[in-house]
Amino acid sequence: MQGTLVAAPVQPSALRASLLASLAPSFEPRPFSYRRMLAVGGLLAPPAALLVYGTLSVPVRAPVLLAGEARGHWPVAALAALVVVAVDAAWLIVLLRRRAAPPSPRAALMVPPIRPGRASLAALAVLRPELVPSRVIAITAATSAAMLAAAAVMAFPLWVIAALTIAPWLPLLSVEGLAKYQHYGCLALFGAITLLQIGHLGEHTTQVSQLLMRSGDLSRARGVFGQLDFETVHFVWDTGIWLGLGLLLYRFGARNPWLWICFAAASLHEVEHIYLFSVYRSDLAFYTRGGLAGVMGSGGVVGSPLGRPYLHFAYNVCVVIPMVIAFWDQSRQVLADSVARLSSGVASQRR
């Protein structure tokens, strides 16, 4: 019949794109919302309480320098601060001169299915396994638990128990990491750095727990991997995290304020480790007599109420919490960018 309008069939991909486009605003992260700040306060409260209790009730028992002796090394501390400030300033100039780069094409290749009521959990869709079946994950978990139990029964050292527990997961993490990189590019690197730093915080948490259980005896509180508890390892690790965060700022910093907060905390932490590594290499006698307190540790160049283990636990908390939030927000931003590209692509096909 003439004059009758017949609706053109709508492709499923177009329907999905339209649905995602309607959800796009909810994918956009809200960095400093009221709920977010309450959550941050809740995350900071337990470590803060732990530090207050440890500092007041279980002081660290370690070599202590004579009053004012550490201040004689203030030029080393000042030089460490200048190095960090110079690198950060140079990097900031590079970032300011760089025009905002378009989203990575790989980040827009795949939009995981999101339920309309679950947009706030969009980051979890990015993190979920893509290649490894659930059955393999369950088998790996059972294997890891069995190795943990066997190593504990055989009274292996703590670091051996941890290594045997982690080992079965490494192939799965490698496979999934490559898949994430193919789909999300630098976001996969961001996730890897975040995961590693969470593990590093776990090591510091273990050390603080050992201090509390062993009356503050630093010689008996070395963490899980005590064989790696020396300044060269600390310096290399924290310098790598600091520089890695700088690279992430170059890629993601334009729209991720929590990444800037994380980078600032990592920069302060780096000042400590440049100073400690310099003293460790140039004046070992001073270091072993108490110079290991560093810049801000109790008895250090500047000093504070916090003994070194408590101080570095605090540094890592201040790095990890913003890092996790920054990664969460960046995952949502990747989804928002992907939705925008998918929607614009469908719209252009209709024209």
Side-chain angles (χ1 to χ4, degrees), residues 58 147 176 218 263:
V58 190
M147 295 181 72
E176 282 296 327
L218 184 59
F263 183 68

Side-chain angles (χ1 to χ4, degrees), residues 25 57 90 119 160 186 189 294 300:
S57 303
V160 175
C186 288
L189 175 63

Side-chain angles (χ1 to χ4, degrees), residues 63-108:
V64 179
L65 295 168
L66 297 175
E69 187 177 357
R71 294 191 182 93
H73 284 69
W74 71 264
V76 182
L79 181 60
L82 285 174
V83 168
V84 172
V85 169
V87 172
D88 285 1
W91 199 239
L92 181 60
I93 292 172
V94 171
L95 293 174
L96 291 176
R97 289 183 175 180
R98 174 184 179 269
R99 292 182 298 179
S104 170
R106 287 175 295 185

Side-chain angles (χ1 to χ4, degrees), residues 149-210:
V153 169
M154 298 177 70
F156 285 165
L158 191 57
W159 70 270
V160 175
I161 296 175
L164 291 175
T165 304
I166 295 171
W169 293 100
L170 296 180
L172 273 68
L173 292 174
S174 299
V175 170
E176 282 296 327
L178 290 174
K180 297 298 183 188
Y181 184 78
Q182 290 176 350
H183 285 136
Y184 301 112
C186 288
L187 185 65
L189 175 63
F190 198 164
I193 292 176
T194 302
L195 184 62
L196 288 171
Q197 194 61 15
I198 290 173
H200 188 63
L201 176 60
E203 178 75 357
H204 280 275
T205 304
T206 301
Q207 184 184 34
V208 169
S209 301
Q210 291 171 337

Side-chain angles (χ1 to χ4, degrees), residues 213-260:
M213 292 185 294
R214 295 167 183 174
S215 303
D217 186 356
L218 184 59
S219 64
R220 299 170 58 208
R222 306 295 299 276
V224 176
F225 299 98
Q227 291 77 6
L228 300 178
D229 185 20
F230 55 95
E231 291 304 335
T232 303
V233 172
H234 290 300
F235 173 74
V236 170
W237 179 279
D238 287 288
T239 300
I241 294 296
W242 174 51
L243 297 177
L245 288 171
L247 293 175
L248 292 176
L249 275 178
Y250 185 80
R251 179 64 182 88
F252 299 124
R255 293 186 290 178
N256 199 324
W258 283 97
L259 187 56
W260 285 95

